[in-house]
Amino acid sequence: MVEHFNNYTLIYVGITGESLFSAARSASKVFRRTLLWGIIADLLTKLILFVNSLMLSLLTGFSAYVFATHTLQSPYGYIIGILSTIIPFYITRFFTHIMAIM
């Protein structure tokens, strides 16, 4: 966050021609105004990615359970369903975590 703040301050100095301290004060005002919206947008993005991972893994697990119990007539369909829920969940959480931090 400090790195972005320094970049904004230097850009503000270049655009307005003000002193560094004056530009830092103006940049901090901008950060205070947009900080709340940035936090809300970040939390909302993470929530959407989590719900997407959860729904995808639940759909995969349920589909695998139905396939294993009805088509294959396996007595261990629930194990296949659980594994088919857990594995995709962690895989999608890994990739959504990478997307969230970039």
Side-chain angles (χ1 to χ4, degrees):
M1 181 143 179
V2 173
E3 180 180 318
H4 294 295
F5 181 72
N6 288 337
N7 288 338
Y8 284 128
T9 303
L10 292 175
I11 290 169
Y12 198 80
V13 166
I15 291 173
T16 61
E18 293 181 14
S19 67
L20 183 66
F21 295 115
S22 165
R25 190 176 306 117
S26 298
S28 67
K29 287 179 185 177
V30 169
F31 266 110
R32 274 188 251 133
R33 276 188 298 197
T34 59
L35 183 64
L36 182 62
W37 286 111
I39 291 172
I40 290 172
D42 185 50
L43 290 176
L44 186 62
T45 302
K46 288 179 182 179
L47 178 68
I48 289 171
L49 289 173
F50 176 76
V51 169
N52 186 21
S53 296
L54 185 65
M55 289 296 136
L56 182 68
S57 63
L58 288 175
L59 179 68
T60 305
F62 182 71
S63 300
Y65 170 74
V66 168
F67 180 75
T69 55
H70 294 294
T71 304
L72 300 178
Q73 297 177 352
S74 173
Y76 301 107
Y78 66 93
I79 294 173
I80 295 170
I82 290 171
L83 288 175
S84 297
T85 301
I86 292 172
I87 293 171
F89 178 74
Y90 282 111
I91 290 172
T92 56
R93 287 300 296 156
F94 172 73
F95 287 113
T96 56
H97 178 70
I98 290 174
M99 285 175 34
I101 62 173
M102 291 186 134

